Amino acid sequence: MPGRSRVLGLASELGAIVGAENVLTEPGALEAFRKDMADFEATPAVVTRPSTEDQVGRILEVATRRRVPVVARGAGTSLTGAVVLDGAIILDMQRFNRILRIDPVNWYVQVQAGVVLDDLNEALRKEGFFFPPDPASSFLCTVGGAIAESSGGMRCVRYGTMRDWVLALRVVLANGRTVTLGEPLAKNRVGYDLVHLMIGSEGTLGVVTEAHLKILPVPSVPFVRMLVTFDDWPSAGRAIEELRRRQVMANLMEFMDRETVLAVNAAFHTNFEDAEATLLVDLDEPLVGDAEAIFRAHGARRFSRAVDEAEAERFYSVRSHAYLAVKELASGVQIEDVTVPIDRLAEYLALVKEVATRHGLRMPTLGHAGDGNVHPTILFDRTDSASRAAATAASQDLCRYAIRVGGTITGEHGVGVQKAALMREQMQAHGAEEALRLMKGIKQLFDPKSILNPGKYVEAA
Ligand SMILES: Cc1cc2nc3c(=O)[nH]c(=O)nc-3n(C[C@H](O)[C@H](O)[C@H](O)COP(=O)(O)OP(=O)(O)OC[C@H]3O[C@@H](n4cnc5c(N)ncnc54)[C@H](O)[C@@H]3O)c2cc1C
């Protein structure tokens, strides 16, 4: 945390840049910026709400001169502590809220960083387009946050993650200068690929103000959305492996266990069957017969097709809100993000159950099974140090399994403060130690005074 002298007069200096009404210092006002959505907590020094690149640049100049850390913030839905920091200037990016251009020929959208993904998709739909990556938080999270986290989501089983959909960026660097990275073109071979360096950089290399994102026409092939239930978790995993082997490509392949469905039913007054394992599946209509046969061969108990668009939307919405329902089940949650090779999915699902039993913990589990990326949500009692220690041990067991089998400790949520040590372990185990050294050098090059989200991620690993 910066010393008092560094923040003395800071608010009025920032007020001269963004207007006093866009600088928050009162404890009550700061409260909304103290937590992320996995309850990582820290108290910022001040919150600013810039609305232009010039303002962001001038704020970063002030921060550099005073050596006060800066954290860019979208919607604060991060799950790893990436968006909270004691003593920081929070750059609230929500006033960067304009969709600047939808290009119907070049198939891109030019959008500011604070636009919420669902709002973006609503605007695109009116023009017959959509933006595929859809973190389950897309009703809240912003373009800038999703880029900085290289977010995945539910449709990623078909379309990939944010990493696959960004063409160009406008970024304000730690020295206050603004730079354009990439070109909004189908192809561009000029220079090192700094666009992709910025994607997944967790606010540690620069502040994204604007992006050109690829878009696609809304698919015209009719699809079927259904819930498929199983009597055990590994059977659902084996069915997914077999779908892959038989080259049946799903558009959604989401997992929810019994405890998640029960939490959802209680929170949202729904009445979904509380089977041991449920898959939410989207398939192009011609593939449904083959897929159902594979599910059946792996013990699927019941298929419930959405009868109309409204029900299909309800299935989707329930899954996307499931974490919020599960989070209410205990005073502490640690949501895991291990991703395993898909041919290890069934084994991993069995391991999650075993780890929960071994540590005496409840772990409602949900997530993107089609990507090998399910999220055991480890519940613990925040007031009980033994319970907290058990949660940490369980998380480490899952992450170390992933490292052993060639998976990753985080598929999409990122590292933040939560997983820096495990990131180092993974990189060492997978022969990437030198890559980590290069990454630390890149951080130093972009941010020599370490003001951008310091002490986290690569710097902390
Ligand atoms: C209910 C729920 C469901 C979720 N589902 C998914 C999911 O399916 N897939 C997934 O990948 N994640 C998921 N997440 C995690 C989270 O929502 C995503 O990481 C999301 O993209 C973060 O966006 P945000 O706007 O909230 O960013 P924030 O939480 O505000 O910030 C996240 C990080 O990005 C940085 N950042 C934010 N804006 C900028 C900017 N303009 N420039 C530079 N850095 C910036 C911050 O400094 C921080 O390091 C979920 C979270 C919740 C609560």
Side-chain angles (χ1 to χ4, degrees):
M1 192 178 328
R4 270 182 66 78
S5 62
R6 293 202 202 153
V7 292
L8 207 66
L10 175 62
S12 55
E13 202 173 348
L14 296 174
I17 297 171
V18 293
E21 69 284 10
N22 290 309
V23 178
L24 312 177
T25 53
E26 290 303 313
L30 298 186
E31 193 54 36
F33 299 86
R34 283 193 64 252
K35 280 191 181 179
D36 69 7
M37 287 215 172
D39 294 337
F40 284 90
E41 294 181 51
T43 305
V46 57
V47 174
T48 58
R49 300 174 183 275
S51 61
T52 66
E53 283 177 348
D54 177 61
Q55 290 174 353
V56 173
R58 286 163 64 200
I59 294 167
L60 292 185
E61 279 169 15
V62 169
T64 300
R65 174 164 41 77
R66 288 174 171 263
R67 301 277 185 110
V68 179
V70 176
V71 180
R73 184 173 176 114
T77 64
S78 159
L79 300 168
T80 64
V83 76
V84 293
L85 188 68
D86 279 322
I89 299 172
I90 300 288
L91 275 183
D92 177 2
M93 297 300 288
Q94 299 217 22
R95 290 174 75 207
F96 283 79
N97 59 5
R98 286 186 304 135
I99 297 170
L100 301 170
R101 175 179 163 81
I102 297 171
D103 188 317
V105 175
N106 294 297
W107 288 8
Y108 66 69
V109 59
Q110 181 183 3
V111 62
Q112 289 190 316
V115 170
V116 172
L117 282 186
D118 273 5
D119 295 344
L120 175 64
N121 262 317
E122 202 180 308
L124 288 172
R125 227 177 344 260
K126 290 183 189 140
E127 308 294 325
F129 287 100
F130 79 119
F131 179 64
D134 59 340
S137 55
S138 62
F139 56 99
L140 294 171
C141 76
T142 62
V143 166
I147 290 171
E149 290 290 359
S150 189
S151 296
M154 310 210 281
R155 285 194 289 249
C156 295
V157 66
R158 174 71 184 253
Y159 295 103
T161 68
M162 286 301 289
R163 205 171 278 287
D164 302 303
W165 293 91
V166 182
L167 293 168
L169 293 172
R170 292 275 294 169
V171 177
V172 184
L173 301 171
N175 61 14
R177 289 195 206 130
T178 303
V179 59
T180 299
L181 306 176
E183 304 281 357
L185 299 169
K187 294 178 174 179
N188 168 39
R189 270 291 290 104
V190 167
Y192 292 142
D193 188 348
L194 299 186
V195 172
H196 283 86
L197 178 60
M198 213 47 76
I199 301 168
S201 60
E202 301 192 6
T204 64
L205 298 181
V207 178
V208 175
T209 54
E210 196 181 299
H212 282 80
L213 306 174
K214 289 189 238 180
I215 54 177
L216 282 181
V218 173
S220 52
V221 184
F223 70 89
V224 171
R225 184 164 295 168
M226 59 185 165
L227 300 173
V228 187
T229 56
F230 296 83
D231 287 331
D232 64 90
W233 299 13
S235 294
R238 280 190 288 273
I240 291 171
E241 289 177 33
E242 187 61 16
L243 286 170
R244 299 272 303 189
R245 203 168 285 118
R246 302 268 292 276
Q247 301 176 356
V248 177
M249 191 184 242
N251 306 325
L252 285 183
M253 187 60 74
E254 294 290 309
F255 179 90
M256 286 186 285
D257 76 333
R258 183 194 301 280
E259 205 168 1
T260 300
V261 171
L262 287 172
V264 157
N265 281 343
F268 306 122
H269 312 294
T270 48
N271 194 21
F272 293 108
E273 180 194 348
D274 56 338
E276 188 57 28
T278 300
L279 293 178
L280 166 63
V281 185
D282 245 32
L283 291 158
D284 291 349
E285 210 162 42
L287 300 176
V288 172
D290 284 353
E292 285 191 348
I294 292 168
F295 285 132
R296 242 182 238 109
H298 288 82
R301 195 145 57 87
R302 195 158 153 202
F303 300 86
S304 315
R305 286 193 191 193
V307 291
D308 53 23
E309 216 172 292
E311 191 171 42
E313 192 46 47
R314 200 161 56 86
F315 286 1
Y316 180 92
S317 162
V318 157
R319 162 57 195 98
S320 60
H321 287 71
Y323 169 67
L324 299 181
V326 165
K327 191 172 178 301
E328 294 307 308
L329 297 177
S331 60
V333 288
Q334 178 160 344
I335 180 161
E336 264 315 319
D337 187 35
V338 155
T339 302
V340 295
I342 294 162
D343 57 5
R344 295 281 194 158
L345 179 62
E347 181 181 281
Y348 178 62
L349 288 169
L351 177 81
V352 172
K353 280 236 151 188
E354 191 260 302
V355 167
T357 309
R358 179 150 38 88
H359 291 283
L361 292 163
R362 290 164 67 198
M363 286 195 205
T365 295
L366 61 148
H368 319 297
D371 299 325
N373 177 213
V374 290
H375 305 304
T377 307
I378 306 172
L379 305 181
F380 62 94
D381 178 352
R382 284 171 85 82
T383 62
D384 176 357
S385 58
S387 170
R388 189 184 285 269
T392 304
S395 159
Q396 287 178 348
D397 286 354
L398 298 174
C399 289
R400 293 202 169 116
Y401 164 83
I403 293 172
R404 265 197 320 280
V405 301
T408 177
I409 57 161
T410 171
E412 54 176 26
H413 295 165
V415 171
V417 293
Q418 185 193 24
K419 287 196 168 163
L422 284 160
M423 169 173 157
R424 169 177 276 276
E425 262 185 62
Q426 176 176 324
M427 294 188 82
Q428 282 171 339
H430 293 182
E433 233 172 336
E434 187 61 12
L436 181 56
R437 200 184 61 77
L438 289 170
M439 287 179 192
K440 286 178 184 283
I442 288 168
K443 167 67 177 169
Q444 173 70 23
L445 182 69
F446 272 74
D447 183 18
K449 302 230 163 94
S450 190
I451 59 153
L452 292 172
N453 219 355
K456 301 179 187 174
Y457 195 23
V458 168
E459 232 177 17

